């Protein structure tokens, strides 16, 4: 373990702030692994005064970074991707140690970082603006995209490194600088990533404050990011109540935000679908990352004619879930992030039974070191009970029956969140209805594959209380730039738009 930490520059005690130089004289916290309760290292938070200095440096770095040609910025992101390739195994192990997801998922998360770097390198030559015909003779209209400023990146514990990279790789090629406030549950991975970025920026001779870091509590450092006009864009990933708070504060100062909030993923299983595909997709979607993904499958809406057999097959899979040390290849599920998450799961199970649901299997605390292990829970429910409408960030899956596809879609859409959804069917009329305007109301709607495991090439995000933000691929980069529209007159005369005349 020490070797992995050292190879990524993690010492016994680490400063939690970086703005060209490492600082952090605030409260110290010891990071404990959920795998076994072992202390990993200590991190000292930044004070508000140190935060101010870091932000000032990030803002200063933007003034020169924005002038570097975008393809040259892309070269830096290419080198960052190469650095991640070299450190993939160690960084994945650190992700696993710090937040408890299985090593194979940790490796997948780092691969996602590499993929978004590759995507961003290509993007650095494709930050296209449009040209439009002008209604005036010998005039031209055009749009250009310019760098925006400092991007404040606030991240959740469950994807401790990928979300930073989605934002950072895109922001860097767009000419922005980034200031990262990670979850206090996962500060070590944030320090490791920032050190990799620092190394690359120094090698190129650029200001290392282009990738800054401020570790501290959401209620102090987070709120400083939310309220400071030097932060042009706040990209916030976290819970719905958190997003409501952040969005409100950023909006009050007319700052921009990207909100990536909670989900309540559902899979519709049609009687015309392949049940093996359904089982595998739902099982991975529900127990992957121990049910701690925003895109986790939390609800299964299954046709009444196959409901009982499907539930029984799912229960059989659940019962033999290999649970234990997530570093071992033999385990599909590791611990939850902390003992508090176990309590949340147990409370939700009591509530679902009180509301009329039936516990089918699982939901037990396991007596393993660290106190964060549970068996995944499966519950049978008649519909979207109040507890089903909440995002319980733990491995609990609710299964409910439907009779018509219209009813299934109404159940799927009948929650306040709108992130990820899927249908398992071989009937094209069903899948097309699901994807149509009368279908899923989510940002992600999949066919014959589960709700989680999004690829970086598409824009990622969701509707309703999921916040409406989009990041990662497609044209999500536009949120990281400011658009400038220009009318250019090469006629040698003055002609006003809309036919307005000016007699002088
Ligand atoms: P959380 O809301 O507890 O914390 C998220 C981040 O917000 C942390 O860095 C936290 O320190 C910070 N924060 C807290 N108070 C703040 C404030 N006043 N101002 C600014 N920042 C503040 O979430 P979590 O438990 O770390 O993560 C789980 C949640 O995140 C779930 O709801 C999950 O669905 C969601 N999530 C969403 C996505 C997505 O892309 N939609 C991805 C991952 C996680």
């Amino acid at each position: 373990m020490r070797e992995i930490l050292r190879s990524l520059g993690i010492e016994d005690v680490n400063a939690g702030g970086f703005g060209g130089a490492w600082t952090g004289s605030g409260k110290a916290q010891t990071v404990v692994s959920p795998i076994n309760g072992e202390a990993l290292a200590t991190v000292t938070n930044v004070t508000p005064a140190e935060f101010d200095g870091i932000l000032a440096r990030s803002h200063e770095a933007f003034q020169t970074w924005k002038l570097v040609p975008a393809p040259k910025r892309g070269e830096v992101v290419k080198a960052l991707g190469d650095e991640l390739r070299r450190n993939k195994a160690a960084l994945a192990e650190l992700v696993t140690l710090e937040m408890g997801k299985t090593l194979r998922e940790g490796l997948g998360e780092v691969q996602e970082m590499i993929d978004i770097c590759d995507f961003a390198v290509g993007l650095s030559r494709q930050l296209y603006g449009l040209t439009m015909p002008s209604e005036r003779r010998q005039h031209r209209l055009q749009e250009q995209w310019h760098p925006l400023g400092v991007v404040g990146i606030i991240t959740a514990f469950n994807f401790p490194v990928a979300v930073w990279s989605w934002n950072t790789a895109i922001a860097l090629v767009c000419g922005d600088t980034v200031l990262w406030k990670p979850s206090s549950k996962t500060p070590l991975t944030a320090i490791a990533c920032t050190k990799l970025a620092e190394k690359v920026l120094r090698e190129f001779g650029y200001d290392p404050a282009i990738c800054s870091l401020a570790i501290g509590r959401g209620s102090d450092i987070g709120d400083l990011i939310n309220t400071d006009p030097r932060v042009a864009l706040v990209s916030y990933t976290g819970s719905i109540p958190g997003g409501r708070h952040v969005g409100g504060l950023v909006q009050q100062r007319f700052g921009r935000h990207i909100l990536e909030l909670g989900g309540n993923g559902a899979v519709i299983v049609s009687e015309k679908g392949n049940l093996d595909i359904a089982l595998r997709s739902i099982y991975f979607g529900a127990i992957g990352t121990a049910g701690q993904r925003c895109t986790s499958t939390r609800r299964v809406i299954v046709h009444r004619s196959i409901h009982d057999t499907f539930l029984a097959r799912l229960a059989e899979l659940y019962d033999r879930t290999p649970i234990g040390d997530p570093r071992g290849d033999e385990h599909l599920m590791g611990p939850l992030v902390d003992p508090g998450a176990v309590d949340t799961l147990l409370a939700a199970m009591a509530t679902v039974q009180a509301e009329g649901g039936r516990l089918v299997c699982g939901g037990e605390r396991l007596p393993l070191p660290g106190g964060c292990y549970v068996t995944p829970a499966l519950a049978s429910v008649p519909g979207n009970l109040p507890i089903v409408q909440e995002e319980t960030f733990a491995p609990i899956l609710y299964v409910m029956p439907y009779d018509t596809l219209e009813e299934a879609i109404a159940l799927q859409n009948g929650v306040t969140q709108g992130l990820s959804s899927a249908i398992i069917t071989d009937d094209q009329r069903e899948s097309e209805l699901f994807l149509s305007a009368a279908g899923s109301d989510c940002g992600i709607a999949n066919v014959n594959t589960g709700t989680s495991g999004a690829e970086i090439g598409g824009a990622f995000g969701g509707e309703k209380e999921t916040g409406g933000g989009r990041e990662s691929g497609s044209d999500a980069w536009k949120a990281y730039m400011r658009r400038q529209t220009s009318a250019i007159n090469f006629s040698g005369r003055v002609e006003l738009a809309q036919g307005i005349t000016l007699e002088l």
Side-chain angles (χ1 to χ4, degrees), residues 249-262:
L249 286 179
V250 176
Q251 184 58 44
Q252 270 176 39
R253 63 175 173 88
F254 298 109
R256 286 207 208 159
H257 52 61
I258 296 173
L259 298 178
E260 298 281 350
L261 313 179

Side-chain angles (χ1 to χ4, degrees), residues 298-379:
R298 309 207 176 277
R299 298 176 294 145
V300 178
I301 305 164
V302 55
H303 193 265
R304 198 177 295 278
S305 64
I306 54 169
H307 175 273
D308 293 353
T309 32
F310 191 75
L311 187 58
R313 285 183 70 184
L314 209 46
E316 196 264 318
L317 264 186
Y318 262 58
D319 276 339
R320 55 185 172 88
T321 301
I323 302 159
D325 191 323
R327 292 168 293 187
D329 214 26
E330 67 276 23
H331 295 134
L332 280 183
M333 205 176 104
L336 298 190
V337 71
D338 56 25
V342 177
D343 296 339
T344 305
L345 171 69
L346 299 182
M349 283 171 33
T351 308
V352 71
Q353 291 176 90
E355 288 178 359
R358 178 175 65 86
L359 180 65
V360 178
C361 65
E364 283 151 1
R365 194 193 296 268
L366 290 174
L368 290 171
C372 299
Y373 293 85
V374 293
T375 52
L378 189 61

Side-chain angles (χ1 to χ4, degrees), residues 155-157 181 218 223 226 236-239 260-261 294 391 460:
T155 53
F157 78 84
K181 196 214 84 59
D223 272 343
N226 300 334
Y236 175 85
T237 300
S239 64
E260 298 281 350
L261 313 179
C294 52
E391 181 199 42
F460 181 88

